[in-house]
Each structure stands twice: as structure tokens, then as C-alpha cells.
């Protein structure tokens, strides 16, 4: 995939964390079973990180899953936030709550200080209520999250209702893309990727359009990795999807 592996921390021994998915259709939910305790990733320490390499970037993206894995991973995340702020590197943070990893109270206590003043905060409607007590209409939840976090820009996903966002001056709305769902896995990460893609170009509104389309692509395929070129994404947004391309 062309990913630079220079800063990967390799271990001589240890185990790889895994998780298993039990797929189902309504009314039975798809369930995940985690086996991550004691994995190499969970044992990561702040001193393991090549900070100069990590912060030589346009944006540092973090998620709420990492600090949930272990005490040391929480320390790594906090150190990443601290160093990024000192270096003036923008931070995006996806709350991404996982109830099988920690309780709402634990998550809120850890994540609330981490998200203060981030450049881009992403959160789901359910997570906003469960962790931070932000309830009401989507626009009200959005403003409550902005006040709680003091984030410069906030994106709130509402599922089938699409996304609403605060760009620092106004509320933006983007409906979801109708889709025949095959696999729910990866839709949230696809949304975040699209939003960040637009944000890096200085256009959050376009990022919302990218994100909702990528989320739809994730839902319409098996697996959690969406592979699409910028040209293909632009064609889909232009309404060329669904036809036979020869």
C-alpha cells in the first residue's frame, strides 16, 4: 500500500492482538470479540516512539481506541498530544468509543483532557451522549461538544442522518449517501479519512462530502479498507457511480 515502515517498532517476541467478528443480520447484532491483552501494541511505551518522525507531518490523527488498550498506550496518546501542541502540529481526534475495551466513565475521564483545543474533533451521536452527556438535536449536540472540547472544528456523525459539523463559524450539514449495506465494518474510519482529506485542503465542507461517500463505499463492500483514487471519488461525487464503466 506504499506505507512507510521506517518508524514501526518491531519486537523480537510477543503476540499480535486479534479480534473476531461474529457477523449477523437484524435482529441479532454483529459482535466483536477482542483478544488484545498483553499484545505488542498494548505494551507500547512513550519512549518507544520516534517523536521527531511522528511529528514531521501536516496533521497528527489519534483515536480513542489507543488509550483504551492499556495504561502505557494511554500514556503514549497523552504524550503525543502534548508534543504535538508544543510543536504546533495540528491534531485530529476521533472519539471512537469501544464499550468492550472500557466503560463510558473511564473513557470520558481519559478522553476529555486529550480533546481540549484539538483542531478537528470527530464523534458519533451515541458516543457524545454516552461519554459526555451531550444530548438533544444534532445541532445542539454539536454545539455542546464544541463547548466541552474547545475544538476548532467538530464533526458529528448521526448514522443514516449524515453528518453535521461546526467549522468555527457556522454549522454545516451533509446527508448520508443511500447505500445497500453489505458490511458495517470500517464506515467510521472511512468517514474520518474523507473529512481529513478535505480538511487538509482547507475545505471542511468538501471533506464532509468526501467522508459520507467513503463511508457509503465502506458499507457497500466486505472488509474495512476502502481503496479508491481521488479521480474515482470525484466521479462518484459527480453522480457517475452505479453505471458500467467501459
Amino acid at each position: 500500500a506504499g506505507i512507510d515502515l521506517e518508524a514501526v517498532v518491531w519486537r523480537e517476541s510477543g503476540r499480535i492482538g486479534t479480534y473476531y467478528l461474529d457477523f449477523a443480520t437484524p435482529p441479532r447484532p454483529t459482535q466483536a470479540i477482542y483478544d488484545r491483552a498483553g499484545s505488542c501494541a498494548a505494551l507500547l511505551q512513550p519512549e518507544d516512539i520516534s517523536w521527531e518522525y511522528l511529528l514531521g507531518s501536516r496533521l497528527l490523527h489519534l483515536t480513542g481506541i489507543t488509550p483504551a488498550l492499556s495504561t502505557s498506550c494511554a500514556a503514549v496518546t497523552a504524550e503525543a498530544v502534548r508534543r504535538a501542541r508544543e510543536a504546533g502540529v495540528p491534531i485530529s481526534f476521533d472519539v471512537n468509543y469501544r464499550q468492550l475495551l472500557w466503560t463510558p466513565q473511564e473513557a470520558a475521564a481519559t478522553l476529555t483532557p486529550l480533546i481540549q483545543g484539538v483542531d478537528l474533533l470527530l464523534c458519533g451521536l451515541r458516543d457524545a451522549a454516552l461519554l459526555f452527556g451531550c444530548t438533544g438535536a444534532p445541532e445542539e449536540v454539536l454545539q455542546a461538544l464544541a463547548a466541552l472540547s474547545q475544538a476548532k472544528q467538530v464533526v458529528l456523525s448521526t448514522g443514516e442522518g449524515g453528518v453535521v459539523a461546526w467549522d468555527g463559524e457556522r454549522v454545516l450539514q451533509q446527508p448520508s449517501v443511500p447505500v445497500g449495506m453489505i458490511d458495517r465494518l470500517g464506515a467510521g474510519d472511512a468517514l474520518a479519512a474523507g473529512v481529513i482529506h478535505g480538511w487538509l485542503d482547507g475545505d471542511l465542507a468538501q471533506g464532509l462530502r468526501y467522508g459520507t461517500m467513503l463511508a457509503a463505499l465502506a458499507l457497500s463492500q466486505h472488509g474495512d479498507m476502502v481503496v479508491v483514487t481521488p479521480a474515482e471519488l470525484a466521479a462518484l461525487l459527480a453522480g457517475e457511480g452505479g453505471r458500467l464503466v467501459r
Side-chain angles (χ1 to χ4, degrees), residues 7 27 39 76 85 113 140 155 210 212 228 232 245:
S39 67
V76 168
R85 286 171 175 160
E140 295 174 316
V155 175
Y210 290 149
T212 52
V228 61
E232 290 168 341
V245 177

Side-chain angles (χ1 to χ4, degrees), residues 71-243:
T71 301
S72 65
C73 282
V76 168
T77 309
E79 184 69 3
V81 169
R82 184 186 71 80
R83 286 176 179 263
R85 286 171 175 160
E86 287 184 353
V89 176
I91 301 169
S92 63
F93 203 107
D94 189 347
V95 172
N96 226 347
Y97 175 64
R98 294 292 182 265
Q99 65 183 21
L100 296 182
L101 296 179
W102 53 357
T103 67
Q105 294 75 22
E106 290 171 330
T110 299
L111 298 182
T112 300
L114 294 177
I115 63 176
Q116 295 303 305
V118 298
D119 296 84
L120 179 62
L121 177 66
L122 300 105
C123 187
L125 192 64
R126 178 178 176 273
D127 291 352
L130 193 61
L131 272 60
F132 308 119
C134 300
T135 58
E139 291 79 5
E140 295 174 316
V141 175
L142 182 69
Q143 296 297 344
L145 275 176
L148 172 77
S149 66
Q150 295 299 303
K152 295 176 183 177
Q153 298 184 325
V154 183
V155 175
L156 178 72
S157 58
T158 67
E160 293 183 359
V163 293
V164 293
W166 170 250
D167 70 355
E169 298 180 352
R170 60 199 172 114
V171 174
L172 307 172
Q173 295 185 333
Q174 182 65 36
S176 61
V177 177
V179 62
M181 188 173 69
I182 292 177
D183 182 351
R184 188 178 296 276
L185 205 62
D189 289 338
L191 173 67
V195 170
I196 291 171
H197 182 40
W199 185 92
L200 287 171
D201 286 338
D203 192 342
L204 182 62
Q206 182 73 332
L208 301 183
R209 291 188 281 273
Y210 290 149
T212 52
M213 179 58 74
L214 289 177
L217 292 177
L219 290 169
S220 65
Q221 67 171 35
H222 291 290
D224 61 353
M225 181 179 290
V226 177
V227 179
V228 61
T229 67
E232 290 168 341
L233 181 58
L236 288 167
L237 289 171
E240 296 179 17
R243 67 181 180 84

